């Protein structure tokens, strides 16, 4: 499966039609006067959220979208036809950024949501508008204005309630397989997961939430190392973060240091995102002897100075996964109810998402500026492909 979560396109609205210069020419009607009609308005470009799309891959093959121009006016006071508006379907969860100004133009988060991204050109006026008592035969018209043209970058973020955070091979993919019908690839080597995976966790009739398995992060991810920067932005959609920690890593690394490194990268990427509720999920306890498990858990919690919720699980055997997802579901339900009843809570959530979007754009801008170094500066990692903002991942 191919997953494309970034794409660049050009959109151009239609030009307005020119006004017409015309005079009546009818038999037995001397000095008929001006009768030039107006041009038509150009078409605007809109984006529409569509749940049938789940990647931006279509924009890899078609990158230019132009709405029709308005038609020019005609004689006999006939106006030109308006250009039809162009509606471009995008996946729900797409953030639209102006590449020239790095301004966030729109955030498509709902099915059927319509956002204007390129304003149509206005129509030109025919000479009939310029007649007066002192100018009975005006030869003045106006031209239609140009439609707006923009270079846009799409960033698609997975729409999930709960995000799984952790180093490569911590067991995130195994956890999402254990609690949902999603079947991401799992293997005993880092970076098995190359694209975000979504799983719907069902707990009963009309009781479910969406969990996102985000590819593993490494130290330096917030600055572009590994796969991290491409996927950290997906966590900005989630309400709850589950920090999955491998208590018995095969490379014998320190789980506490790995957890601290991931927490640091999270804060470096977005301080607001780091404020999201985060629960500690200690995974792979089945690899430890039973008499050592409690001591290992206590040691990790103490060294991390962790005061939040802690869950002990073995994702591969589903041990402890049901209490985890049930607690997460109750918490999400309470949060939604609070936001529905309390306007202040709703506004706080909206402001947090806005701040996270701004921080994510600032991080992307800083990374892009580093790539655009003067030619004379040495950059061993620089190549022409660094200018690409579209990324495609294929397992």
């Amino acid at each position: 499966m191919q997953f494309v979560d970034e794409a660049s396109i050009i959109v151009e609205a239609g030009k307005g039609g020119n006004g017409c210069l015309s005079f009546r020419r009818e038999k037995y009607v001397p000095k008929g006067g001006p009768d030039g009609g107006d041009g038509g308005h150009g078409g605007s470009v809109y984006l529409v959220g569509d749940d049938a799309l789940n990647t931006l891959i279509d924009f890899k093959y078609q990158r230019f979208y132009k709405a029709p121009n308005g038609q020019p006016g005609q004689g006999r006071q006939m106006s030109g036809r308006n250009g039809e508006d162009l509606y471009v379907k995008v996946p729900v969860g797409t953030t639209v950024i102006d590449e020239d100004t790095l301004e966030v133009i729109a955030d498509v988060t709902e099915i059927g949501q319509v956002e204007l991204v390129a304003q149509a050109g206005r129509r030109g006026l025919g000479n009939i508008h310029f007649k007066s008592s002192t100018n009975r035969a005006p030869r003045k018209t106006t031209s239609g204005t140009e439609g707006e043209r923009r270079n846009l970058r799409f960033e698609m973020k997975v729409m999930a309630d709960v995000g799984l955070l952790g180093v490569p091979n911590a067991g995130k993919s195994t956890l999402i397989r254990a609690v949902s019908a999603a079947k991401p690839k799992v293997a005993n080597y880092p970076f098995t997961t190359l694209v975000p995976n979504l799983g719907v966790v069902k707990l009963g009739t009309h009781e479910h939430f969406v969990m996102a398995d985000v590819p593993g992060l490494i130290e330096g991810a917030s600055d572009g190392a590994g796969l991290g920067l491409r996927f950290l932005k997906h966590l900005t959609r989630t309400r709850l973060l589950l920090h999955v920690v491998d208590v018995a890593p095969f490379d014998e690394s320190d789980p506490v240091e790995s957890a601290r490194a991931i927490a640091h990268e999270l804060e470096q990427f977005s301080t607001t995102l780091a404020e999201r509720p985060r629960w500690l999920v200690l995974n792979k306890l089945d690899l430890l002897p039973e008499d050592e498990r409690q001591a290992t858990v206590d040691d990790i919690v103490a060294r991390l100075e962790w005061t939040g919720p802690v869950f002990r699980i073995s994702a591969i055997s589903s041990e402890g996964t049901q209490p985890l997802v049930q607690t997460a579901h109750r918490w999400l339900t309470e949060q939604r109810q609070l936001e529905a009843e309390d306007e202040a809570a709703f506004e706080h959530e909206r402001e947090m998402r806005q701040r996270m979007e701004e921080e994510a754009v600032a991080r992307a801008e800083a990374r892009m500026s580093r790539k655009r170094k003067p030619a004379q500066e040495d950059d061993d990692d620089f190549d022409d492909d660094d200018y690409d903002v579209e990324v495609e991942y294929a397992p």
Side-chain angles (χ1 to χ4, degrees):
M1 182 190 79
Q2 292 181 320
F3 182 91
V4 178
D5 71 343
E6 292 187 7
S8 292
I9 69 169
I10 300 172
V11 294
E12 183 177 339
K15 178 182 180 296
N18 296 330
C20 176
L21 175 63
S22 175
F23 295 92
R24 290 180 62 185
R25 293 291 186 269
E26 298 181 30
K27 192 174 183 180
Y28 307 122
V29 183
K31 300 180 181 180
D35 68 350
D38 302 334
H41 296 299
S44 297
V45 182
Y46 295 88
L47 302 181
V48 183
D50 188 346
D51 63 338
L53 303 177
N54 54 19
T55 76
L56 299 173
I57 194 169
D58 291 342
F59 300 104
K60 174 183 177 182
Y61 303 105
Q62 183 178 351
R63 300 192 179 187
F64 183 69
Y65 294 83
K66 187 181 187 312
N69 296 330
Q71 298 299 310
Q74 301 180 32
R76 298 187 179 182
Q77 303 183 31
M78 290 191 292
S79 298
R81 178 181 298 175
N82 293 332
E84 292 185 5
D85 293 331
L86 177 62
Y87 292 88
V88 180
K89 295 180 179 180
V90 298
V92 174
T94 300
T95 299
V96 186
I97 301 171
D98 189 313
E99 284 202 312
D100 298 320
T101 64
L102 293 178
E103 171 194 4
V104 177
I105 300 174
D107 199 11
V108 183
T109 59
E110 299 178 1
I111 300 172
Q113 180 179 342
V114 179
E115 296 287 348
L116 174 67
V117 292
Q119 179 63 54
R122 302 293 297 176
R123 66 183 182 184
L125 301 178
N127 65 336
I128 191 173
H129 289 279
F130 300 97
K131 66 180 180 180
S132 67
S133 59
T134 58
N135 187 5
R136 304 273 183 104
R139 295 184 175 273
K140 180 180 179 181
T141 62
T142 60
S143 301
T145 60
E146 295 291 336
E148 191 174 15
R149 180 185 175 99
R150 271 179 160 171
N151 298 314
L152 303 180
R153 182 170 81 247
F154 292 162
E155 291 187 354
M156 178 185 168
K157 301 179 180 67
V158 295
M159 302 295 287
D161 303 299
V162 176
L164 301 182
L165 182 69
V167 296
N169 219 43
K172 301 184 299 300
S173 296
T174 305
L175 174 57
I176 204 171
R177 287 172 67 99
V179 300
S180 75
K183 301 300 178 186
K185 179 182 178 182
V186 295
N188 191 27
Y189 57 85
F191 298 112
T192 309
T193 305
L194 296 178
V195 302
N197 294 295
L198 292 182
V200 178
V201 182
K202 294 186 177 181
L203 296 99
T205 305
H206 304 302
E207 293 185 345
H208 65 272
F209 64 88
V210 180
M211 180 181 288
D213 165 26
V214 178
L217 308 179
I218 62 175
E219 188 172 357
S222 60
D223 291 322
L227 302 176
L229 187 60
R230 295 295 184 186
F231 297 115
L232 268 169
K233 61 177 178 286
H234 293 288
L235 295 176
T236 62
R237 298 285 189 191
T238 60
R239 295 172 177 265
L240 174 65
L241 301 177
L242 301 183
H243 192 157
V244 182
V245 177
D246 182 355
V247 299
F250 71 93
D251 60 358
E252 299 184 353
S253 59
D254 186 355
V256 173
E257 291 302 318
S258 299
R260 287 173 177 166
I262 293 303
H264 175 73
E265 294 306 323
L266 190 67
E267 187 170 359
Q268 288 293 106
F269 177 75
S270 169
T271 55
T272 308
L273 178 59
E275 296 173 5
R276 280 293 200 198
R278 182 160 52 98
W279 296 354
L280 188 64
V281 180
L282 302 179
N283 188 28
K284 302 187 182 180
L285 285 171
D286 58 305
L287 298 180
L288 299 176
E290 289 191 12
D291 57 346
E292 296 181 10
R293 294 181 183 179
Q294 188 60 48
T296 301
V297 170
D298 293 342
D299 176 65
I300 292 175
V301 172
R303 291 170 59 198
L304 284 174
E305 299 179 352
W306 189 268
T307 58
V310 179
F311 294 86
R312 302 169 40 168
I313 71 167
S314 173
I316 196 168
S317 64
S318 298
E319 178 185 348
T321 58
Q322 283 306 305
L324 171 62
V325 297
Q326 289 171 1
T327 305
H329 179 259
R330 284 196 300 270
W331 185 89
L332 291 168
T333 302
E334 292 171 358
Q335 286 298 115
R336 293 193 186 99
Q337 184 175 358
L338 176 63
E339 292 172 17
E341 298 174 353
D342 188 341
E343 186 176 349
F346 175 82
E347 186 64 23
H348 175 71
E349 174 66 19
R350 189 192 67 80
E351 290 179 355
M352 282 196 71
R353 294 201 176 197
Q354 180 64 32
R355 290 203 308 271
M356 283 188 288
E357 291 292 346
E358 293 172 353
E359 290 169 354
V361 170
R363 174 63 61 178
E365 179 182 2
R367 183 168 180 263
M368 291 172 65
S369 64
R370 287 196 299 270
K371 289 182 176 182
R372 293 168 179 167
K373 294 180 180 179
Q376 63 269 23
E377 291 189 21
D378 292 332
D379 185 356
D380 295 337
D381 297 329
F382 179 82
D383 53 50
D384 291 340
D385 291 336
D386 286 345
Y387 281 107
D388 294 344
V389 295
E390 175 182 316
V391 136
E392 179 178 334
Y393 299 94

